[in-house]
């Protein structure tokens, strides 16, 4: 089982897409949550509330709005069975059905809430299953 990364530990992904925000990763995929329950199914970027969150790749917005446990969330389908999920947003800037391009602002970082600190929760799903986002992004 992976241990949570220290906030100052640089973590570099191996994928072709840019990170949705710049900042250290404070929770890694598969690491246990401090509050218990399921292990992290995504990663958490530390970022100041209000920081723009950008689409990592072109795709279509499947959902934009509130979701229990995620605050405001945006889900973008970027390939046939690949989803990028941007959670813990303070605001969303896109609408269902909208096509987004790489770098398009989809929302902004939220404050506090379930994460406990300001930051972006970012998850990737392939065929409905969570996969390590660091396989898809670089930072």
């Amino acid at each position: 089982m992976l241990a949570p990364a220290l906030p100052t530990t640089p973590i570099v992904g191996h994928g072709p897409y840019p990170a949705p925000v710049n900042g250290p990763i404070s929770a890694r995929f598969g690491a246990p949550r401090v509050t218990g329950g399921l292990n992290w199914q995504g990663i958490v970027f530390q970022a100041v509330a209000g920081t723009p969150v950008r689409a990592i790749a072109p795709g279509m917005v499947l959902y934009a709005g509130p979701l229990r446990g995620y605050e405001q969330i945006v889900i973008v389908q970027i390939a046939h069975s690949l989803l990028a999920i941007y959670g813990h947003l303070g605001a969303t800037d896109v609408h269902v059905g909208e096509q987004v391009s790489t770098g398009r602002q989809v929302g902004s970082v939220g404050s506090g809430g379930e994460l406990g600190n300001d930051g972006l929760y970012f998850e990737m799903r392939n065929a409905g299953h969570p996969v390590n986002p660091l396989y898809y992004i670089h930072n």
Side-chain angles (χ1 to χ4, degrees), residues 4 6 11-12 15 25 39 42 47 52 56 62 65 71 84 91 132 137-138:
L6 297 174
I11 299 173
V12 179
I25 295 172
N39 289 350
I56 64 163
L62 297 181
E71 308 289 331
N132 190 340
I137 63 167
H138 61 271

Side-chain angles (χ1 to χ4, degrees), residues 11-74:
I11 299 173
V12 179
H14 307 289
Y17 304 121
V21 295
N22 292 324
I25 295 172
S26 60
R28 295 176 71 174
F29 178 82
R33 292 178 185 240
V34 174
T35 58
L38 291 175
N39 289 350
W40 287 106
Q41 294 184 3
I43 58 179
V44 176
F45 288 92
Q46 287 184 348
V48 176
T51 300
V53 175
R54 308 217 177 264
I56 64 163
M60 185 178 71
V61 177
L62 297 181
Y63 183 77
L67 185 63
R68 185 172 169 230
Y70 289 87
E71 308 289 331
Q72 295 288 318
I73 188 171
V74 171

